[in-house]
């Protein structure tokens, strides 16, 4: 057990969990999953199987829709995770971390708005009904809850006139709300991936090709079925698993009380348990 006096070493006392190797292993694996698995798999799926990205409705059938999964996963999974982890990682004064936390979540909001607009535009152009699936219902609940969480957080914790008592009263609900909304985001993303693959496989998903003797062009004779475990479905399944594993680690890191920032007052002695 090591004792630190916050009067002399405030930065050390606020982030004592930085001395715990398990903390850095958890953070490293989570970030590796997010940036080494989730993002690459999503980009590979959208570009290789679904022709990439476009905002122009006159382009191919899926390119405009692809903006939706990209921005939603980028915002509500990857950026949201950074907003959660930043409180555990950055060795900066708490107010600076609050500002960084808020900026990241404003980025999440922008991604979410772009994602909603792209899918609504895609549905309108292709005459597809809105809000017919479980995925869309969960998504339309998650979006407004996130906006409410963001507004309450900005008003409460970046407003210098807000009484300390009010901040302390709201904090448990703010923390729980953040984890709950993140969980809803994961559910929405996983259900969206499953829904997309059920609706049909994209290009490169042909099991057997046939050459037309008259035109000498290659045509798909036997398309892959989802039940045949086609490569595209395997990519989507791996993406879903990577999202679940990364999200689980983020929640694990965020909910461990010994890894939280210590609100140590001046002169207070803070003890680091288990340190050598």
């Amino acid at each position: 057990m090591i004792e630190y006096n916050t009067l002399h070493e405030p930065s050390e006392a606020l982030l004592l969990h930085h001395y715990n190797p398990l903390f850095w292993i958890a953070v490293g694996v989570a970030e590796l999953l997010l940036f080494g698995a989730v993002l690459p798999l999503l980009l590979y799926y959208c570009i290789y199987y679904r022709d990439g990205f476009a905002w122009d409705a006159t382009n191919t059938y899926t390119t405009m829709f692809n903006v939706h999964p990209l921005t939603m996963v980028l915002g509500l999974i990857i950026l949201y995770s950074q907003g959660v982890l930043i409180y555990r990682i950055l060795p900066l004064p708490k107010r600076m971390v609050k500002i960084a936390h808020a900026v990241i979540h404003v980025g999440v909001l922008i991604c979410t708005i772009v994602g909603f607009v792209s899918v609504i535009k895609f549905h309108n152009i292709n005459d597809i009904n809105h809000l017919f699936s479980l995925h869309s219902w969960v998504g339309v609940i998650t979006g407004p809850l996130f906006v409410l969480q963001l507004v309450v957080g900005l008003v409460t914790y970046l407003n210098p006139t807000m009484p300390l008592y009010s901040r302390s009263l709201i904090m448990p609900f703010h923390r729980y709300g953040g984890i709950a909304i993140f969980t809803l985001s994961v559910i929405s993303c996983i259900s969206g991936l499953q829904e997309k693959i059920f609706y049909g496989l994209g290009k490169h998903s042909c099991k057997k090709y046939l050459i037309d003797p008259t035109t000498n062009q290659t045509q798909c004779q036997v398309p892959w079925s989802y039940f045949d475990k086609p490569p595209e479905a395997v990519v989507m399944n791996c993406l879903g698993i990577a999202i679940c594993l990364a999200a689980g680690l983020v929640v694990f890191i965020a909910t461990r009380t010994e890894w939280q920032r210590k609100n140590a007052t001046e002169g207070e002695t803070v003890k680091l348990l288990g340190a050598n």
Side-chain angles (χ1 to χ4, degrees):
M1 179 182 295
I2 296 177
E3 294 187 356
Y4 293 91
N5 190 283
T6 60
L7 180 62
H8 302 294
E9 296 179 297
S11 61
E12 297 285 350
L14 289 175
L15 294 172
L16 298 177
H17 56 274
H18 280 193
Y19 293 94
N20 190 334
L22 179 60
F23 168 76
W24 289 112
I25 292 173
V27 170
V29 174
E31 298 288 26
L32 181 62
L33 284 168
L34 289 170
F35 292 99
V38 173
L39 187 58
L41 284 172
L42 178 61
L43 290 173
Y44 178 74
Y45 167 76
C46 290
I47 294 172
Y48 183 73
Y49 290 108
R50 300 287 172 167
D51 299 313
F53 308 95
W55 197 256
D56 184 4
T58 62
N59 209 304
T60 60
Y61 182 72
T62 58
T63 52
M64 184 172 62
F65 177 84
N66 290 342
V67 177
H68 175 69
L70 175 67
T71 52
M72 289 304 195
V73 172
L74 182 62
L76 288 171
I77 301 297
I78 296 178
L79 285 181
Y80 202 120
S81 296
Q82 306 313 304
V84 173
L85 295 177
I86 197 172
Y87 268 104
R88 307 292 183 264
I89 296 174
L90 281 188
L92 297 175
K94 193 170 184 179
R95 181 161 183 82
M96 294 182 65
V97 178
K98 284 182 181 180
I99 294 173
H101 178 77
V103 170
I104 290 174
H105 279 81
V106 169
V108 175
L109 177 62
I110 294 172
C111 288
T112 303
I113 292 173
V114 173
F116 270 121
V117 171
S118 67
V119 74
I120 291 172
K121 186 177 178 182
F122 174 80
H123 278 217
N124 288 340
I125 291 173
N126 293 280
D127 196 23
I128 301 174
N129 289 331
H130 299 288
L131 302 177
F132 63 88
S133 66
L134 176 62
H135 163 67
S136 60
W137 286 27
V138 175
V140 83
I141 292 172
T142 305
L145 285 177
F146 172 75
V147 173
L148 178 62
Q149 171 86 349
L150 178 61
V151 171
V152 171
L154 291 175
V155 171
T156 304
Y157 299 107
L158 289 183
N159 179 10
T161 64
M162 180 65 66
L164 182 61
Y165 170 77
S166 300
R167 295 185 180 189
S168 300
L169 185 66
I170 295 173
M171 177 55 72
F173 300 98
H174 185 69
R175 286 177 175 169
Y176 172 79
I179 297 298
I181 293 169
F182 183 59
T183 303
L184 284 174
S185 301
V186 173
I187 295 172
S188 181
C189 287
I190 297 301
S191 60
L193 296 178
Q194 190 70 76
E195 178 182 312
K196 183 61 177 175
I197 205 70
F198 270 158
Y199 275 146
L201 302 173
K203 67 177 185 178
H204 308 302
S205 294
C206 188
K207 194 173 184 179
K208 184 178 180 181
Y209 290 93
L210 177 68
I211 299 179
D212 189 339
T214 58
T215 62
N216 201 30
Q217 292 182 349
T218 302
Q219 298 180 349
C220 183
Q221 185 181 23
V222 181
W224 279 104
S225 166
Y226 180 69
F227 303 101
D228 295 327
K229 299 180 183 178
E232 180 180 352
V234 172
V235 171
M236 292 288 273
N237 290 346
C238 290
L239 173 58
I241 293 296
I243 289 175
C244 290
L245 291 176
L249 275 174
V250 170
V251 173
F252 173 73
I253 294 167
T255 54
R256 287 183 69 92
T257 55
E258 62 268 35
W259 290 354
Q260 292 179 0
R261 295 175 68 95
K262 304 298 188 297
N263 295 322
T265 58
E266 186 174 346
E268 176 187 1
T269 297
V270 181
K271 296 181 179 180
L272 174 61
L273 300 177
N276 297 320

